[in-house]
Every structure is written in C-alpha cells, then in structure tokens.
Amino acid sequence: SADWPHCPKGFVLEPPYPNGGGKWGRWRSDEMPTDLVFAYDAISSSGELNRLSKETGADVRQRIEEDLFRGAVRQDEFHGPTYGNASPRIYEGLVAIGRVIGDPALVHEGVRRSRELFRLQFYVDGFWMEGSVGYHQMTIRGMEKVFEAAADYSDPPGYVDPVDGERFDNLDLERDIAIISRASRISEICRYPDGRVMPVHDNWARFDNLRIPDRSNSTLLSGVGHAWLGLGSGDDQVQLHLHFSGGYGHEHADNMNLIFFAKGHEVLPDIGYTHTRFRSWSTGTLCHNTVVIDETRQHTRGKEGPSDGRLLAFETVWKPVQWMEASGENAYPDLAKRYRRTLILVDTGEGDVYAVDLFRVAGGSQHDYALHGNADYDGTVELSVATDPYGENLLPGVDVRFPQGESDRGDAAGRNPSYAYFQNVARGEVRDGLAVDFRVNESSVGVRSHLPGHDGAEVFTGDAMSFRRANEDDAMLEKFRMPMFLLRKRTGSGTLESDFVGVHEPYDGEPFVREVKELDVEEGEGLALSVR
C-alpha cells in the first residue's frame, strides 16, 4: 500500500514499491517479520511443522522460510540498502532470518549495512545525522536489537563471505564498531539541569525519562554542530547553548539559535517537536532565538547546498568567563554576508550568572532579532520603552491562511506565514537602549535582557503558541502561549549591517545587573561593554 500522512491511501501491486506503506506497518522498514522469525525459531524443532505438512499436503517449512521470510528479503531488494533512523529494523531482520534459516550471506548483509550506517550517518562526536536526540535514541535502540540478534554468531565451518571476504566467529558488533561508545553517551550528555533531553530539532520537550545531572559542564559537539557553556551543580546548574547545526532530516530552521537554562527554568527556550497542524511554526526561524533576514525562513537542506554552521571559538578553561562563537552564513545563501554569534557566560558568584550576546549580521535590508519567554508555564514580557497596540499579528492587513495539516505551511500572500503566529502585538521605538523582562507566572524567576544602543530601531512584543502543554491536541494549541519579543532594524537602500548586543540576566526574585552600556572604542572593529 501507499500510506503517507494527510494523503489518500492507495495500493501498489508491483515494483517500485513506496517507502511509506506495507503489509506489516506504515514504513518499508516494518516489512521484516522479525518477531515471527523468532517465534518460528522457537517451534521449528518441535515436529509440528512436519505434522502440519502431512496434514495439509504442503511443505509448511518451505512456505514459511522461502515464501514469507525470503519474500521479505526480496521485497527489500527492490529498494536496495537504506541508512535511515528506522533502517536497523531491516538489519535486525536480515541477521535473524539468516541465523534461523542457516543463510550466512544474510547475516553478513545485515552486518555490512550496520557498519555503513555508523560510517555514513553518525558524526565524529557520535551524534546521529539528524541532530535530534530523540531520533538518535530511536536509531541506537534499533541498533541494540541488531547487536542482540548478531551476538556470538559464528559462520558455518569453512565459510568466507563472497562479498566482503570476511568470516565471523563469536561476533560482537558493539565491540567491533568503535564509534558506538560515543554514540551511546549522547542521550545522557544532552540533558538540561532538570533532567530533560534538550529539545533541539525534532525532539520532544517532555518531563519524562528524567535523569538529572549532578553538574553542568561545558560541552562541544563539533560534529553535529551544537555547544553549551555550563556551570554549577545541583539546583544551581546553568547552561548557555549555541546551535550551529545543518539540516539533514527532522531539522528546524534554527541556525545560530540561543538557549538559556538557569534558575531551574529554560528561560530562553527551544520549543521542540510537534506533529500538530501548526508544525510549520515550530520549525520556522522566527520560532527560535535567532535573527531572521528579510522575513525569510532559513535554508535547511536541498539542492542549494549545505546549511551547516561553522565553529569559530570554544574557550572554557577559565570557568568565571567562558565563551564560544560560530557563524552560519549557509543558513542564508546568497543573502547573508555575515551571520555570526558570540556568547560569553560570566559567573558573578553567589549562584548568579549573566550572558553576553553579540550577533553580527550583514546582508538583506531587514534584520529581526527574536527572543522567546518560557514555554512550559504562563509568563509575561515587559519593555523599558513605551509601546502602542500594533495589530492582531506581525502581518497587519495581510490575508493569512493558517495550515490545515502537519505538512501544510499555510500562506500569507507571499509573506512568511510564521509572522502571523506572533500575535497580540504591541510596537515601540528604541531611544538609547532598552531592557526586556520575561517573567514566569506563579514564580519569582525571570530573565532580563539588556540591549544597549539600537536608537531608532522598532521593537515588538506579543505572544505565540507554545505547544508543550497542549499534549499534541490541536484543539488546545491556542490556549497555551509564550511571550515574544522582536527587535527590528531596517534600511531603505544598500546592504544592512547590524550588531545586536545584549546581556541576558536570569534572576530569582529581583534582577541584579544595575547597568549595561557600550563604551567608545578608539580604533578598530572592537566592542567594549560595561556591565555593573
């Protein structure tokens, strides 16, 4: 069958068979009847198959082994080898069928594909290629079943595989594939101080499977493109994340995204995964703490080339002041001349920290610097400058069609539909800097962002869907909101160059930073910032 989300179902009677849809499950990776192989192995020596053959006049063993099991192998051959997050189900089936029916060539094929999966699709840091911890875990769990199916296997005496020239004796894939030791640690490393797995790309932001780390350490995952500066232990843990990953499946348009966890909360969050009809909002650039150029969604993948960012610095030796820097011009090919972010984490003592944030952008004619408040609880946003009502959303007067399904991005008369999700908007204008204060309701926790300079820039506040508490119920999506902020710079002609300078100050009770201001620099392109 052909079974794709939000599309009519159909039947396919001859090859080429689709990747989506099959006899046993939705995906072609479900077509290996591995559980039946194990069941068959348990009864094959009982004598019942011989009895059934006599009773029915059919060779039951041949029907099962040749028609059912090898039939699944033949169907897989129509597609050829695949190396996706669900492919280990196929490898497990090949190994299991080969062992049970005595065909070592199938075992070798399953092992070859397993090795290729790790060689082709895992980064040097052990992270799965899609950049999502959830899909990393799914892939590793699938491979653990392959390891189990292949454990202690030995080829028949004298057998050498004609394809790979190898012979297996007491096979142990976990021992033989070196990168597995790194890959197996990813889901433990990539956790917030509250024990949640970080919700980057298509990964759920759920309070389950919590494993609270003892302390937060600065960590660089240079392969996938993600790093964070960490401090503290117990309830005083802090993590400041910088994301510079490319897009290779299940990605979000989120290059140069900032995430800040402090005071027990994800105060500047990444919203994470959803399968609801408003999925396009969650994956869009404006739904992340980054800069949007010319209201355009970042490039993620396709024929236009890679979308990876580039690590420029990671200095964590002196714990009181740690910093990192990355660039992501590939997110805006042929548009961004510079797209570069520097983050500095400063430990002020007594459990308080602040982050210095320098985002330098060149290219296009409009730069929108976005920040989002807490997505787990109701909250507010307040500015130090006066604002007036602006409109229902950031696209006043534009005819917007919101999505009807998960794969539908909606439409906004040629504009970016993501701007219609930023709603209940107020607008102001900056004079000699401003401060943005996000507070978590029913809590004393907040984060204040100091943004010196930016005279004449527009500022907007509002709110947007936060998804998480709706529990994937489309009817509940608009009930749960998160506060939003946007700082906009525009030019009427030429290439716009912007330096967004900020200090993000998480607090519990009252803010502690008294003053942030830029200082004059006599020469060069340096930036001097005073924080009191």
Side-chain angles (χ1 to χ4, degrees):
S1 68
D3 186 1
W4 298 105
H6 316 296
C7 296
K9 294 176 174 51
F11 293 94
V12 180
L13 303 179
E14 59 186 23
Y17 299 118
N19 188 51
K23 296 186 297 294
W24 301 101
R26 177 178 160 193
W27 302 107
R28 59 159 292 205
S29 52
D30 297 320
E31 292 304 279
M32 288 291 176
T34 308
D35 288 342
L36 295 180
V37 176
F38 294 142
Y40 174 75
D41 186 41
I43 67 169
S44 61
S45 60
S46 67
E48 285 300 299
L49 297 178
N50 294 332
R51 184 186 65 77
L52 284 172
S53 295
K54 291 179 181 179
E55 184 179 300
T56 62
D59 188 336
V60 174
R61 190 179 299 274
Q62 182 182 34
R63 293 287 300 275
I64 294 173
E65 293 186 3
E66 296 299 319
D67 296 350
L68 178 58
F69 297 162
R70 286 195 186 274
V73 175
R74 289 191 292 271
Q75 179 164 329
D76 178 69
E77 289 172 349
F78 286 123
H79 299 274
T82 59
Y83 302 101
N85 52 47
S87 296
R89 301 175 201 166
I90 298 173
Y91 312 159
E92 180 195 12
L94 291 170
V95 171
I97 292 171
R99 293 192 73 164
V100 168
I101 69 176
D103 186 344
L106 292 179
V107 178
H108 280 254
E109 179 63 18
V111 171
R112 272 195 302 274
R113 295 193 195 181
S114 296
R115 290 171 172 170
E116 280 293 277
L117 182 79
F118 282 99
R119 186 181 74 84
L120 295 172
Q121 305 290 61
F122 281 79
Y123 297 108
V124 67
D125 51 31
F127 215 119
W128 171 243
M129 51 88 76
E130 292 175 299
S132 157
V133 180
Y135 282 96
H136 176 96
Q137 290 173 317
M138 171 183 168
T139 308
I140 291 297
R141 284 195 298 267
M143 284 309 307
E144 287 172 350
K145 292 187 176 182
V146 181
F147 303 153
E148 185 177 349
D152 301 321
Y153 168 78
S154 295
D155 283 322
Y159 180 84
V160 176
D161 189 77
V163 176
D164 57 36
E166 281 192 272
R167 171 182 174 79
F168 294 150
D169 288 291
N170 298 317
L171 188 62
D172 185 345
L173 286 177
E174 281 190 276
R175 175 198 62 204
D176 297 341
I177 301 176
I179 201 171
I180 290 172
S181 61
R182 293 184 183 180
S184 63
R185 296 197 298 268
I186 289 296
S187 63
E188 296 308 307
I189 293 172
C190 299
R191 289 185 180 271
Y192 285 159
D194 63 4
R196 281 184 293 175
V197 173
M198 64 186 196
V200 174
H201 287 323
D202 273 350
N203 194 62
W204 302 105
R206 290 173 173 163
F207 287 94
D208 57 9
N209 189 28
L210 299 181
R211 298 178 192 174
I212 298 175
D214 294 330
R215 63 182 303 107
S216 285
N217 298 308
S218 297
T219 302
L220 171 61
L221 297 171
S222 57
V224 67
H226 190 96
W228 63 92
L229 307 176
L231 281 174
S233 59
D235 294 336
D236 293 327
Q237 295 182 62
V238 175
Q239 293 178 7
L240 177 64
H241 292 249
L242 178 58
H243 185 71
F244 51 99
S245 175
Y248 299 96
H250 285 286
E251 76 278 1
H252 292 189
D254 60 353
N255 218 316
M256 297 295 106
N257 185 39
L258 172 154
I259 308 168
F260 205 176
F261 191 107
K263 306 297 181 182
H265 289 272
E266 190 187 13
V267 290
L268 296 174
D270 188 319
I271 198 169
Y273 201 6
T274 181
H275 275 304
T276 58
R277 73 181 185 276
F278 294 134
R279 169 172 169 75
S280 61
W281 161 241
S282 72
T283 64
T285 307
L286 188 61
C287 193
H288 295 85
N289 301 308
T290 187
V291 171
V292 186
I293 300 180
D294 289 352
E295 293 187 6
T296 305
R297 177 187 171 97
Q298 291 179 356
H299 163 69
T300 52
R301 54 175 168 159
K303 295 180 180 179
E304 295 83 3
S307 54
D308 307 73
R310 185 164 62 100
L311 179 71
L312 301 175
F314 187 74
E315 267 301 340
T316 61
V317 173
W318 194 45
K319 297 303 179 184
V321 180
Q322 305 177 61
W323 68 285
M324 57 187 170
E325 185 174 35
S327 64
E329 287 81 10
N330 285 337
Y332 285 105
D334 303 322
L335 185 58
K337 308 302 180 185
R338 182 169 59 241
Y339 197 69
R340 178 169 174 169
R341 194 167 207 166
T342 306
L343 295 177
I344 307 171
L345 182 64
V346 180
D347 184 1
T348 68
E350 299 181 356
D352 286 327
V353 301
Y354 64 82
V356 179
D357 178 11
L358 171 58
F359 204 139
R360 290 182 162 172
V361 185
S365 59
Q366 178 174 304
H367 298 162
D368 290 338
Y369 172 94
L371 294 175
H372 313 85
N374 192 284
D376 295 312
Y377 306 95
D378 291 332
T380 60
V381 56
E382 295 180 358
L383 298 185
S384 62
V385 300
T387 60
D388 296 308
Y390 179 74
E392 181 182 357
N393 56 49
L394 276 177
L395 298 175
V398 175
D399 187 15
V400 177
R401 180 187 65 80
F402 286 100
Q404 299 302 305
E406 179 182 353
S407 58
D408 180 8
R409 287 191 177 181
D411 183 74
R415 305 279 293 275
N416 186 344
S418 285
Y419 280 73
Y421 290 93
F422 192 129
Q423 298 173 351
N424 304 309
V425 183
R427 178 195 174 279
E429 190 169 308
V430 181
R431 286 285 179 266
D432 192 26
L434 77 155
V436 186
D437 203 338
F438 291 105
R439 287 183 178 268
V440 181
N441 289 0
E442 300 180 7
S443 166
S444 55
V445 171
V447 58
R448 186 168 61 170
S449 296
H450 306 259
L451 301 165
H454 307 301
D455 279 3
E458 294 179 283
V459 288
F460 301 88
T461 61
D463 54 49
M465 286 177 289
S466 62
F467 287 106
R468 298 181 180 179
R469 288 172 288 165
N471 293 320
E472 293 299 283
D473 184 347
D474 275 63
M476 299 290 287
L477 287 175
E478 300 195 51
K479 178 180 178 181
F480 301 108
R481 316 290 292 178
M482 62 182 181
M484 304 281 293
F485 166 78
L486 187 143
L487 171 63
R488 172 171 293 171
K489 292 188 175 182
R490 289 193 283 191
T491 182
S493 61
T495 298
L496 179 62
E497 297 187 12
S498 300
D499 287 353
F500 294 98
V501 185
V503 171
H504 309 299
E505 167 203 3
Y507 60 86
D508 188 353
E510 293 297 327
F512 58 91
V513 172
R514 298 207 313 264
E515 180 188 60
V516 175
K517 65 178 180 179
E518 290 189 58
L519 304 178
D520 292 333
V521 177
E522 292 184 0
E523 59 184 34
E525 296 184 358
L527 174 75
L529 199 66
S530 168
V531 181
R532 295 173 61 85

